[in-house]
């Protein structure tokens, strides 16, 4: 997996562009992302593993915010380019309230005209380098951009939740922003794709995983990541992944 910074024009909306390739068949557990993800596949295939079932994913997808992790198997020779939007960043590109995508992985042509998707896929298939693939991806994004003023209140809420790594009280946050809890949640879900509480929980967990990757022991992770105690961390980890943290973090398949 190689990660690239977007151009200055796209940076306010896009956190990262990624190229993921697999020489051999691989299975990974994907933590939920805090923003919408779109993917265009140019090699191999991928399947979503649901229990004993494997459901092939479309080659061009839009993935909304999920509350739980997903297991994905990629074939040998697989290659995909990904756009990982910032929280709320996809609203200017997809033209739908983002809460409608909650928990969904949709074919991209459900939201984007099929001919535009097919043109981008054809250009990716012709590309022979990472630079060419990124250029195709950026051109596709620019063609979909529908500029409009962001919701300043939602952006302020996102900024505080991210700055505090998810350790916020949503009711207090709403009062500081001059809104009721319900009013903030409605605007937030429309522009972000999840509630403030859901995003906060996800950012807490992702921060804890990063703390572990930087070398913290499993017993110290909850305290370094700001959880109340170890049981609080284990409950949130299990709620998202279905497994205890020791097992999944040790396996090294968490992305």
């Amino acid at each position: 997996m190689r990660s690239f910074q977007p151009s200055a024009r796209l940076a306010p909306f896009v956190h990262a562009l990624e190229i993921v390739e697999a020489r051999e068949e691989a299975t990974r557990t994907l933590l939920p992302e805090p923003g919408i993800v779109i993917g265009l596949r140019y090699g191999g295939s991928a399947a979503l593993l649901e229990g004993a079932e494997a459901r092939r994913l479309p080659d061009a997808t839009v993935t909304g915010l999920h509350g739980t992790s997903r297991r994905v198997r990629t074939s040998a020779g697989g290659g995909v380019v990904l756009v990982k939007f910032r929280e709320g960043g996809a609203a200017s590109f997809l033209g739908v309230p983002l809460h409608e995508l909650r928990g969904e992985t949709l074919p991209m042509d459900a939201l984007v005209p099929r001919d535009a998707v097919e043109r981008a896929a054809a250009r990716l298939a012709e590309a022979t380098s990472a630079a060419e693939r990124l250029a195709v991806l950026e051109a596709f994004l620019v063609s979909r951009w529908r500029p409009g003023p962001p919701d300043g209140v939602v952006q302020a809420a996102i900024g505080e939740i991210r700055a505090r790594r998810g350790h916020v009280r949503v009711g207090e946050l709403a009062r500081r922003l001059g809104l009721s809890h319900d009013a903030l949640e409605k605007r937030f879900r429309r522009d972000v794709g999840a509630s403030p509480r859901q995003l906060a929980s996800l950012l807490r967990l992702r921060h804890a995983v990063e703390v572990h990757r930087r070398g913290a022991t499993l017993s110290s992770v909850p305290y370094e990541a700001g959880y109340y105690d170890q049981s609080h961390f284990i409950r949130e980890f299990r709620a998202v992944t279905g497994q205890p943290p020791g097992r999944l973090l040790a396996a090294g398949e968490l992305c």
Side-chain angles (χ1 to χ4, degrees):
M1 187 274 285
R2 291 173 288 171
S3 184
F4 304 87
Q5 292 300 305
S7 66
R9 185 176 186 180
L10 294 173
F13 311 97
V14 176
H15 167 64
L17 306 175
E18 292 182 357
I19 298 177
V20 183
E21 297 178 328
R23 294 182 180 178
E24 301 175 350
E25 182 179 287
T27 299
R28 294 288 184 265
T29 299
L30 307 182
L31 276 180
E33 293 285 344
I36 304 295
V37 178
I38 68 174
L40 284 162
R41 181 164 294 280
Y42 59 87
S45 63
L48 185 62
L49 305 182
E50 300 170 320
E53 304 263 328
R55 176 169 63 89
R56 176 164 176 161
L57 291 169
D59 288 339
T61 58
V62 177
T63 300
L65 272 67
H66 283 64
T68 57
S69 62
R70 298 173 300 143
R71 295 185 70 237
V72 174
R73 183 174 64 217
T74 303
S75 70
V80 64
V81 290
L82 302 173
V83 179
K84 293 189 173 180
F85 284 100
R86 298 186 186 277
E87 299 90 333
S92 297
F93 297 82
L94 297 179
V96 297
L98 296 187
H99 70 267
E100 295 181 3
L101 305 179
R102 173 76 176 168
E104 299 283 355
T105 298
L106 300 175
M108 194 180 296
D109 59 15
L111 298 171
V112 177
R114 181 171 298 177
D115 60 346
V117 176
E118 290 177 347
R119 281 196 303 271
R123 290 169 183 162
L124 274 177
E126 295 169 356
T128 59
S129 68
E132 290 179 0
R133 292 184 179 112
L134 293 173
V136 170
L137 196 57
E138 290 230 357
F140 173 73
L141 289 174
V142 169
S143 73
R144 300 302 309 160
W145 184 36
R146 302 294 181 267
D151 186 322
V153 170
V154 172
Q155 292 300 309
I158 291 170
E160 183 157 349
I161 292 170
R162 178 163 281 284
R164 296 173 64 85
R165 296 191 174 98
H167 296 282
V168 297
R169 295 183 181 275
V170 177
E172 292 178 3
L173 175 60
R175 284 193 293 275
R176 286 198 297 275
L177 294 172
L179 295 176
S180 69
H181 185 289
D182 288 347
L184 174 61
E185 179 158 325
K186 182 177 180 180
R187 289 164 67 170
F188 200 95
R189 289 178 69 247
R190 180 196 64 208
D191 282 7
V192 177
S195 70
R197 181 179 179 182
Q198 288 165 338
L199 179 65
S201 177
L202 173 56
L203 291 177
R204 279 197 304 271
L205 183 61
R206 293 186 68 89
H207 175 56
V209 171
E210 287 303 314
V211 167
H212 181 265
R213 286 174 175 163
R214 293 198 296 264
T217 64
L218 192 59
S219 61
S220 68
V221 163
Y223 305 101
E224 293 189 36
Y227 282 85
Y228 298 124
D229 52 33
Q230 195 166 39
S231 63
H232 180 207
F233 169 57
I234 292 172
R235 282 197 307 273
E236 288 209 346
F237 194 95
R238 277 186 177 273
V240 172
T241 69
Q243 297 187 49
R247 181 183 306 166
L248 198 53
L249 292 175
E253 68 168 45
L254 192 62
C255 296

